[in-house]
């Protein structure tokens, strides 16, 4: 019999295992409490009560109002809802956009997740002006260029809180302040007019106190499967102004669930699991930050002993960076081939976003930092999580030494 390899998972940025407590919370809603939340009988009432409870938990964690949380099928869908929904609303209700006198503008960064980049590209095919802001060699956007890009046509600025590949943290509060100052300087008091501000906080929520009012955002995306919850469920915070009217239009039409913004029968077990995952993430956040950062720093120090010419991609480890993220350039190693060798030894890592993992194209995030194609193709991301231990990392390092040979 062949020896069973004890696998080491170092790809928590791609997805996380469902926490046992989350699974226990979800289980009854598959087999016992299976009602449709839209039904008026007791089964439906039981389901909607569970959804409301999770919505309240998530709203509290974000410092939002109960009815500002919109459940979606994924973070990708939530991002699409923001970008497409804001543009559609502006085109329908702003005369200058409807007549074609003005062209809606969206501003994004060059290292956004594919769900934002691809949606922006698709919108550009329909006449939307898309401005892509460059980043410096650590991945931080240029705030002066943001200021210059803001115009009366700008409907939305979308900049992710923390990058999924290099872990860089963007200055969200500063961006929010710049947008607020632009609105004030141009006397934009109409709540239906942009520029609005969206941030994808999928990677950030687990490690940062994400309070929407403190950040100053109009929209914010979170995902369950990045925080030890189930796959197939995301949520969008959509700020309600004084007149209690959402500032985006739905992209899915049907029964009018989720305040008319996301039609479709709610996945009650997933929503329940999401709420529980959020609750647990908030509870362990402070302790987990310190623990994974210490492990991450150890991994980097020891990896440098194996690869003396290895270089870090993104910001310095002790600066504005996710505490579980380590993205490194290994000269003379081709990432896809090296990752295959690691996988055969029982180590799971990645070369970047899981959404593009099967592509042979070099990482656009590494390229956006100003690096060459060869560096982008020779870079590997290790991301740690709750299951990562010191003994596991020590074993991984021994295996990596073997993979080098």
């Amino acid at each position: 019999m062949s020896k069973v390899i004890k696998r080491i998972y170092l790809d928590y940025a791609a997805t996380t295992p469902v926490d046992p407590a989350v699974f226990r919370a979800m289980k009854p809603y598959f087999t016992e409490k299976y009602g449709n939340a839209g039904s008026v009988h007791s089964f439906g009432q039981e389901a909607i009560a569970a959804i409301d409870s999770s919505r309240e938990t998530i709203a509290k964690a974000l410092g939002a109002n109960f009815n500002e949380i919109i459940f979606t099928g994924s973070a990708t869908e939530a991002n699409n809802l923001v970008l497409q929904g804001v543009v559609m609303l502006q085109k329908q209700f702003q005369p200058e956009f409807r007549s074609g006198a003005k062209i809606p503008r969206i501003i994004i960064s060059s290292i956004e997740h594919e769900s934002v980049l691809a949606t922006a590209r698709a919108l550009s095919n329909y006449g939307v002006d898309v401005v892509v802001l460059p980043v410096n060699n650590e991945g931080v956007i240029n705030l002066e260029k943001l200021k210059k890009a803001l115009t009366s046509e700008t409907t939305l600025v979308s900049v992710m809180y923390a990058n999924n590949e290099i872990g860089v943290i963007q200055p969200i509060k500063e961006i929010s302040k710049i947008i607020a100052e632009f609105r004030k300087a141009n006397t934009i008091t109409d709540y239906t007019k942009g520029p609005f501000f969206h941030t994808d906080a999928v990677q950030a929520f687990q490690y940062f106190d994400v309070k929407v009012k403190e950040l100053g955002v109009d929209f914010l995306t979170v995902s369950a499967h990045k925080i030890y919850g189930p796959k197939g469920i995301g949520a969008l915070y959509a700020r309600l102004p004084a007149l209690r009217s959402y500032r985006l239009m739905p992209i899915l039409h049907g029964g009018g669930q989720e305040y008319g913004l996301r039609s479709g029968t709610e996945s009650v077990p997933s929503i329940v699991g999401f709420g529980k995952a959020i609750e647990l993430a908030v509870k362990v956040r402070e302790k987990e930050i310190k623990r994974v950062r210490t492990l991450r720093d150890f991994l980097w120090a020891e990896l440098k002993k194996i690869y003396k010419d290895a270089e870090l991609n993104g910001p310095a480890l002790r600066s504005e960076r996710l505490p579980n993220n380590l993205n490194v350039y290994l000269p003379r190693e081709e990432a896809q081939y090296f990752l295959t060798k690691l996988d055969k030894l029982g180590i799971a890592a990645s070369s970047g976003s899981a959404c593009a993992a099967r592509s042979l194209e070099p990482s656009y995030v590494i390229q956006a930092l100003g690096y060459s194609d060869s560096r982008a193709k020779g870079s590997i991301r290790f991301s740690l999580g709750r299951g990562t231990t010191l003994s596991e990392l020590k074993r991984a390092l021994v295996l990596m030494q073997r993979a080098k040979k």
Side-chain angles (χ1 to χ4, degrees):
M1 289 180 63
S2 60
K3 186 178 179 180
V4 177
I5 299 174
K6 187 176 181 182
R7 296 184 298 171
I8 300 170
Y9 188 71
L10 298 176
D11 200 18
Y12 285 87
T15 196
T16 58
V18 173
D19 188 286
V22 171
F23 180 71
R24 287 194 297 271
M26 294 173 65
K27 192 175 179 180
Y29 293 91
F30 284 110
T31 57
E32 302 167 23
K33 305 176 182 182
Y34 50 81
N36 186 318
S39 301
V40 296
H41 49 60
S42 60
F43 286 86
Q45 291 173 24
E46 194 172 45
I48 195 64
I51 290 174
D52 286 348
S53 178
S54 289
R55 199 187 307 274
E56 186 63 47
T57 297
I58 297 172
K60 183 179 179 181
L62 297 177
N65 296 320
F66 173 85
N67 56 348
E68 291 178 321
I69 304 301
I70 312 300
F71 288 114
T72 61
S74 63
T76 289
E77 185 190 329
N79 288 343
N80 271 261
L81 176 56
V82 173
L83 270 69
Q84 295 187 56
V86 167
V87 168
M88 288 193 293
L89 188 75
Q90 296 295 296
K91 282 192 169 185
Q92 181 164 335
F93 291 103
Q94 301 302 332
E96 61 271 31
F97 291 128
R98 188 170 62 245
S99 67
K102 285 186 176 182
I103 298 174
R105 167 174 285 193
I106 290 177
I107 301 173
I108 62 175
S109 85
S110 59
I111 61 170
E112 292 302 303
H113 187 269
E114 291 93 335
S115 59
V116 169
L117 286 171
T119 304
R121 282 195 296 268
L123 288 170
S124 71
N125 292 331
Y126 290 94
V128 175
D129 178 24
V130 176
V131 176
V132 181
L133 297 175
V135 296
N136 63 21
N137 63 359
E138 291 191 342
V140 181
I141 70 163
N142 188 312
L143 295 180
E144 289 304 313
K145 291 194 174 181
L146 168 62
K147 292 177 184 178
K148 292 178 181 178
L150 289 170
T151 64
S152 60
E153 289 86 3
T154 306
T155 60
L156 183 72
V157 176
S158 182
V159 177
M160 69 194 320
Y161 196 143
N163 184 265
N164 49 304
E165 289 194 33
I166 58 172
V168 63
I169 308 301
Q170 299 293 350
I172 300 300
K173 291 182 181 180
E174 292 179 52
I175 296 171
S176 173
K177 184 179 178 182
I178 288 170
I179 295 171
E181 288 173 348
F182 174 83
R183 290 179 66 93
K184 184 178 180 180
N186 290 272
T187 60
I188 302 173
T189 57
D190 186 345
Y191 78 94
T192 64
K193 292 185 177 181
F196 304 122
F197 184 25
H198 165 249
T199 189
D200 179 335
V202 166
Q203 296 288 340
F205 180 85
Q206 186 176 179
Y207 296 110
F208 296 97
D209 187 14
V210 180
K211 298 295 185 184
V212 291
K213 290 182 176 60
E214 293 177 14
L215 293 175
V217 297
D218 299 294
F219 304 102
L220 182 141
T221 302
V222 285
S223 176
H225 81 101
K226 305 293 189 180
I227 57 169
Y228 306 86
K231 297 176 181 64
I233 185 72
L236 175 68
Y237 157 75
R239 185 165 71 91
L240 277 169
L243 295 181
R244 316 306 294 168
S245 176
Y246 293 103
R247 290 166 295 182
L248 69 167
M249 293 184 69
I251 58 175
L252 292 179
H253 302 274
Q257 291 90 342
E258 295 303 297
Y259 307 106
L261 291 177
R262 203 279 181 178
S263 292
T265 301
E266 301 92 339
S267 176
V268 182
S270 298
I271 292 172
V272 168
F274 199 174
K276 187 65 177 179
I278 288 276
E279 177 188 318
L280 293 174
V282 172
K283 188 179 296 184
V284 305
R285 183 184 281 153
E286 189 173 343
K287 179 180 178 182
E288 195 63 7
I289 288 173
K290 296 176 182 177
R291 193 186 73 84
V292 297
R293 181 182 286 134
T294 300
L295 290 174
R296 188 270 315 274
D297 292 354
F298 167 80
L299 176 60
W300 174 232
E302 295 301 311
L303 194 62
K304 280 285 286 181
K305 294 177 183 178
I306 300 173
Y307 288 91
K308 291 181 171 53
D309 53 357
E311 296 179 32
L312 190 67
N313 291 321
L317 296 189
R318 288 288 174 169
S319 62
E320 297 299 309
R321 187 184 187 119
L322 286 171
N324 73 326
N325 174 279
L326 183 65
N327 192 305
V328 298
Y329 169 51
L330 303 178
R332 294 177 298 282
E333 292 284 5
E334 198 281 315
Q336 294 300 330
Y337 177 63
F338 187 69
L339 288 169
T340 300
K341 287 197 293 183
L342 290 183
D343 190 50
K344 288 180 179 178
L345 291 170
I347 301 173
S350 71
S351 58
S353 170
C355 298
R358 297 187 185 278
S359 171
L360 296 178
E361 293 297 314
S363 166
Y364 66 85
V365 173
I366 304 300
Q367 290 176 315
L369 304 184
Y371 293 125
S372 64
D373 285 2
S374 61
R375 178 157 178 155
K377 289 180 179 179
S379 294
I380 293 174
R381 180 189 69 186
F382 299 99
S383 49
L384 285 53
R386 291 181 199 167
T388 308
T389 64
L390 181 59
S391 62
E392 192 177 55
L393 290 183
K394 288 179 177 178
R395 187 160 58 89
L397 287 159
V398 171
L399 294 171
M400 278 187 254
Q401 176 72 64
R402 189 186 306 171
K404 183 185 177 184
K405 298 175 180 178

